[in-house]
Amino acid sequence: MQIQADTERCVGAGMCALTAPDLFDQSDHDGTVVLLTDGRCGRQTADAARAAVANCPSGALTLTD
Ligand code: SF4
């Protein structure tokens, strides 16, 4: 699975970093999402990634196979 984050859509709400702190952080500069990995996630992190996508209020995160 591959996570993609659209920093133009991101509103810096931080739900992703709270939901999946191993996958996401926020920019010190403007609070927008920062991917902590290259965007790839395996079985161990897939559930957390799905939850982060579902919890993002701006629709900035997408997950593809
Ligand atoms: S939850 Fe969505 S809007 Fe909030 S920081 Fe993460 S990607 Fe941005």
Side-chain angles (χ1 to χ4, degrees), residues 10-16 33 56-58 60-61:
C10 175
V11 296
M15 289 303 296
C16 55
V33 62
C56 175
S58 68
L61 303 176

